[in-house]
Amino acid sequence: MHIEGFKGEEGVVCARCQISAATVLVRTDHLCRDCFMKYVGRKAVKRMESYQVRSYSKNIQRTLLLPVSCGVSSVTLLHILDQQLQSQLDRTGRAGYSLHVLLVDTSAEDTGVPTIEHLDELENKYPRPTYSTLTLSEISDYGIALPEDLAHGFITDEGNTSSSLQTSQARLHKFMSSLPSATSKADVLGILRMRLIVEFAKNKGCESILWGDSTTRLAEKTLAETAKGRGFSLPWQTSEGESPHGIHFKYPLRDLLKKELSTYSSLTSPPLTPLIVGQSSSRPISASAKSTTIDDLMSQYFESVETNYPSIVANVVRTSSKLSAPQFEPKDQNCKLCGLPIADGSGGMHGWGGDQQKEIGTGESEVANVLTASGLCYGCARSMHGAKQRESILHT
C-alpha cells in the first residue's frame, strides 16, 4: 500500500535512519519525516546536477525558467530549488544558476486558475528569483500566430472573422470559443501556454525550462497525448533534452509521484499548502460527457492508481522515456498550432489516419480540405475539427 501521511505503528522505525519512528509510507518503505523530506529533495536535486556551481565559469550567468501554475508540483519545485540555491551560496558564495519564475495567466479563458495575486504570494515567500507574468493573449507579442487560415476558411462565422476583432484578447476568445469540444479547448489552451512559455524563455536568454511535471503528470500526459493523436511528440514531451522548439527541457520532479509532493508540501515548516491553488487530490468528473476532457479522465485515473499501484505509474513514464524522437528532414514544415515538426505527407486529418499522402477526393467536405492544407499536425487537426466530423470524412 502506498499511503501518504501514514502514521507509524508502535515499534516501526524508519527504514533509512533506523532511529526515528516511521510516519510516512513511501511506496514500500516506512520513513520518518526527516528522511522523507531528504528523499524528496534529493530526487529533485539529483536531476539538477548539471547546474552545480562547479560546472560553470564565474563569467557565465545561466538563467533557468520555472513556469508555475501554483499547483502542488510547481510550488514544491520552487521551494526545493530555492533551498538548493541557498545551499550553494552558503557553501561557495555563489549560485550555479539564476532562476526566473513565470506565471501565464489564463483566467480569461479558464476558471479556477491562478492569477497575478497568487504569484505575488510566491514572490513574498521566495524573493530570490526574478518573477514575471504574462496573459495568454500576449502570444501575438511573441510571434505566435493563431491558425488564421483556419479561422477565416472555416471556424469563424462569415462577416465576423478574426481580422475584424479589435483586441488580441477578443481574437483569442473568439478563436477558443470556436473549438468543437471541451477536450479541444483544453488541448489548445495548453499548447498556446506552452508555446508562450518557450518564446518567453528564448527571449530572456534562458538556457533551459524546468517543468514541474511529476511522475504522475508525465504518465497522464503519455496516455492523453496518445489519445489526442499526438503520440509522435511523446519523446519531446516526457523526456529531458533538447526540444524541437530550440530550448532544453528538464523535469526535476519526474521521479516523484504527485502524492509524495502533496505530503512533502504539508510537512515543510511552515507548510506550503497556503500557497497552492487547487490542492484537492482529484478533480471531480462532470456527469456531462461534453464538459469532460481527456486530461480530466487521465488525471483522475492515475491519481487513483498511484495510491495502491505506484509501480504502474512509474512504468508508464519509464516506457515512454525509451521512445526515440522521430527523424525529420530540413524540408519538413512545423505545425502552425503546436509548432512541432511534421514529416512530409503526414499532416492534417489524413496524415496519421492510415492514409498518408492520400489526395482529397472530389465531393469530400470543405472542412477536410481546409484542415489538410492548413499545416497542422494530426493531433492539432483533430482538436480543430473534432473526432466526429473526422470519422464522417474518412467514411465518405
Side-chain angles (χ1 to χ4, degrees):
M1 295 288 287
H2 170 80
I3 307 173
E4 303 297 348
F6 161 83
K7 299 302 180 183
E9 298 177 3
E10 186 177 354
V12 179
V13 297
C14 175
R16 299 208 171 186
C17 69
Q18 297 291 316
I19 298 174
S20 303
T23 57
V24 182
L25 180 59
V26 181
R27 307 190 192 192
T28 60
D29 293 333
H30 295 81
L31 302 181
C32 65
R33 177 202 174 274
D34 290 346
C35 287
F36 171 72
M37 301 299 278
K38 291 176 183 177
Y39 163 82
V40 173
R42 288 170 180 170
K43 284 280 189 181
V45 171
K46 185 177 180 180
R47 289 278 173 185
M48 298 291 293
E49 285 183 346
S50 57
Y51 298 108
Q52 298 292 335
V53 173
R54 64 177 180 272
S55 63
Y56 86 107
S57 168
K58 290 183 179 180
N59 299 323
I60 300 175
Q61 180 61 56
R62 299 182 298 185
T63 302
L64 309 180
L65 183 70
L66 172 61
V68 295
S69 62
C70 295
V72 63
S73 298
S74 58
V75 171
T76 299
L77 181 55
L78 174 58
H79 178 82
I80 293 173
L81 294 178
D82 189 72
Q83 287 187 324
Q84 182 191 30
L85 290 172
Q86 185 60 55
S87 177
Q88 291 176 346
L89 290 169
D90 291 342
R91 292 196 323 269
T92 67
R94 60 194 181 104
Y97 59 91
S98 61
L99 192 63
H100 197 136
V101 178
L102 172 67
L103 172 70
V104 176
D105 185 354
T106 60
S107 57
E109 300 298 332
D110 199 3
T111 58
V113 295
T115 58
I116 295 175
E117 289 73 21
H118 295 103
L119 190 68
D120 291 339
E121 295 178 12
L122 290 180
E123 187 171 6
N124 291 333
K125 173 73 173 179
Y126 306 104
R128 195 189 326 273
T130 302
Y131 289 82
S132 297
T133 58
L134 293 173
T135 60
L136 196 62
S137 60
E138 292 180 72
I139 54 174
S140 58
D141 297 336
Y142 286 85
I144 304 170
L146 298 176
E148 295 294 343
D149 49 352
L150 278 174
H152 291 297
F154 169 62
I155 288 178
T156 49
D157 297 328
E158 186 177 355
N160 189 25
T161 58
S162 58
S163 60
S164 67
L165 300 174
Q166 297 300 311
T167 67
S168 57
Q169 180 58 59
R171 291 178 62 242
L172 176 63
H173 182 71
K174 177 68 176 179
F175 175 72
M176 295 298 297
S177 299
S178 68
L179 296 174
S181 68
T183 290
S184 296
K185 290 172 182 166
D187 185 41
V188 172
L189 190 69
I191 288 171
L192 295 178
R193 177 180 178 272
M194 181 275 294
R195 291 196 63 190
L196 183 56
I197 290 169
V198 166
E199 293 305 319
F200 178 87
K202 291 161 67 174
N203 181 266
K204 295 297 182 181
C206 297
E207 182 177 310
S208 298
I209 299 177
L210 306 178
W211 300 102
D213 295 12
S214 63
T215 303
T216 313
R217 174 62 187 135
L218 291 174
E220 295 168 10
K221 188 185 292 186
T222 297
L223 295 195
E225 292 300 309
T226 302
K228 288 184 283 190
R230 212 176 284 112
F232 74 94
S233 69
L234 289 178
W236 300 313
Q237 295 209 51
T238 62
S239 300
E240 296 184 332
E242 191 68 22
S243 75
H245 301 287
I247 193 169
H248 197 86
F249 283 2
K250 205 161 188 66
Y251 299 90
L253 301 180
R254 64 178 294 116
D255 298 322
L256 293 160
L257 298 170
K258 183 178 179 181
K259 291 286 186 181
E260 293 166 347
L261 299 177
S262 296
T263 300
Y264 180 93
S265 68
S266 66
L267 294 178
T268 57
S269 183
L272 302 178
T273 46
L275 301 172
I276 296 172
V277 178
Q279 174 65 9
S280 59
S281 59
S282 62
R283 290 166 287 188
I285 297 298
S286 171
S288 171
K290 291 184 178 180
S291 59
T292 301
T293 70
I294 290 175
D295 297 286
D296 289 336
L297 293 172
M298 291 299 103
S299 176
Q300 188 172 77
Y301 171 71
F302 278 108
E303 286 182 15
S304 63
V305 168
E306 72 171 356
T307 300
N308 296 323
Y309 307 102
S311 61
I312 292 179
V313 184
N315 284 338
V316 171
V317 177
R318 193 177 299 115
T319 301
S320 69
S321 66
K322 296 178 181 179
L323 298 173
S324 299
Q327 298 298 314
F328 294 96
E329 301 294 333
K331 64 179 180 179
D332 293 334
Q333 63 177 325
N334 288 357
C335 173
K336 290 185 178 180
L337 185 55
C338 69
L340 295 176
I342 308 174
D344 184 33
S346 64
M349 299 305 298
H350 293 283
W352 294 92
D355 50 357
Q356 281 90 337
Q357 300 187 27
K358 173 184 175 182
E359 293 184 1
I360 301 175
T362 304
E364 288 190 344
S365 92
E366 179 184 353
V367 176
N369 282 278
V370 172
L371 287 166
T372 303
S374 64
L376 297 179
C377 69
Y378 174 69
C380 290
R382 282 195 61 173
S383 284
M384 297 292 295
H385 184 36
K388 184 176 181 181
Q389 292 99 322
R390 174 179 180 272
E391 290 300 316
S392 65
I393 291 170
L394 291 179
H395 292 89
T396 300

